[in-house]
Amino acid sequence: MATIKDGDGRRLKPYRGWHALWRTLFLIDLVDPEDPDGEPERFAVDVDYVVFEDAAALYRDDRQVARSSLPVSFPVPGGVIEVASTLYGLRRMHYVREDGTQQQLRPHRGTPEELRARLGRRFPRLSRVIAGVAVAVLLVALALTVPQLLERISEIEWVAEHVGTFTSPIALPAWLNGALVAAGVLAALERALTLRNHWLIDADTFLLGD
């Protein structure tokens, strides 16, 4: 919360399909717990993947009320909206109530996240297959990448002198390493579109990003 700044009151820009190259948008309607009979207010979180500072902006009824770099927890009626990203998209966009229960915000129509969610609703079996393949690809990439990374680290002079060297039992040709990186990036994008993230499964996405 320390990174949160006051919004400037500007209106929320309409979302267009081509905005997917640098932007995403999520929505939620909330009623103030202190006024349960009141009208629900629409909150929107606009995330810009291109910028680092003030990458996320919170809108209340289409007016900007706060902005911040990521990760961030925006205070809202009844709790906070937690936003966090990865190298390939979002890993968290959840409304966390004061009692600890959580609810994922809904992606704006036309965003890649909304299109992926729509695919999951219309073709649940295909969706599960795609998700499973993404996990398998990332685990294979992790198993093949870590030994090669350890070998490179052991080649550092200080590490070689104090720890020793390590020779990876895996030596992949350049074309296969390239294909592995490409498959890993696609798998990481799939995981980001569904806001799934696991400390082990997605560990190698940082290596692929580097």
Side-chain angles (χ1 to χ4, degrees):
M1 294 184 181
T3 63
I4 297 176
K5 304 174 185 176
D6 291 335
D8 57 13
R10 72 179 63 180
R11 291 193 64 84
L12 177 64
K13 293 181 180 179
Y15 187 87
R16 305 292 184 235
W18 61 85
H19 293 174
L21 295 173
W22 70 87
R23 177 191 180 206
T24 193
L25 183 63
F26 282 75
L27 309 168
I28 189 170
D29 297 321
L30 299 175
V31 175
D32 192 334
E34 298 181 0
D35 184 19
D37 296 327
E39 292 293 325
E41 295 179 298
R42 174 157 297 182
F43 288 82
V45 179
D46 192 349
V47 178
D48 189 325
Y49 295 125
V50 177
V51 302
F52 174 75
E53 186 177 359
D54 299 341
L58 177 69
Y59 290 78
R60 186 172 190 163
D61 289 337
D62 292 338
R63 291 290 182 180
Q64 189 187 102
V65 294
R67 50 198 171 93
S68 174
S69 56
L70 297 177
V72 63
S73 294
F74 285 120
V76 293
V80 297
I81 294 177
E82 296 182 349
V83 188
S85 63
T86 70
L87 292 170
Y88 301 92
L90 295 176
R91 63 180 175 87
R92 189 157 182 78
M93 179 67 77
H94 289 71
Y95 171 54
V96 183
R97 299 178 181 85
E98 293 175 350
D99 61 6
T101 58
Q102 303 182 20
Q103 175 185 345
Q104 183 177 307
L105 278 66
R106 64 184 183 277
H108 189 280
R109 185 172 180 82
T111 62
E113 292 86 354
E114 190 271 336
L115 296 175
R116 178 62 181 85
R118 197 188 310 175
L119 173 68
R121 292 191 298 269
R122 294 185 61 184
F123 307 100
R125 289 186 179 180
L126 175 61
S127 178
R128 288 193 292 269
V129 169
I130 294 174
V133 170
V135 170
V137 166
L138 290 176
L139 289 177
V140 169
L142 182 64
L144 296 179
T145 302
V146 168
Q148 298 180 78
L149 180 63
L150 290 176
E151 180 177 354
R152 292 187 179 183
I153 293 175
S154 71
E155 292 173 353
I156 300 174
E157 183 177 351
W158 186 93
V159 176
E161 290 179 358
H162 294 81
V163 180
T165 59
F166 171 78
T167 302
S168 172
I170 302 172
L172 301 179
W175 69 267
L176 187 53
N177 265 326
L180 183 64
V181 169
V185 168
L186 292 176
L189 287 172
E190 152 63 19
R191 298 275 293 173
L193 290 178
T194 53
L195 276 70
R196 291 188 174 98
N197 189 270
H198 185 274
W199 69 270
L200 176 61
I201 295 174
D202 300 281
D204 60 319
T205 59
F206 294 99
L207 304 180
L208 293 171
D210 293 341

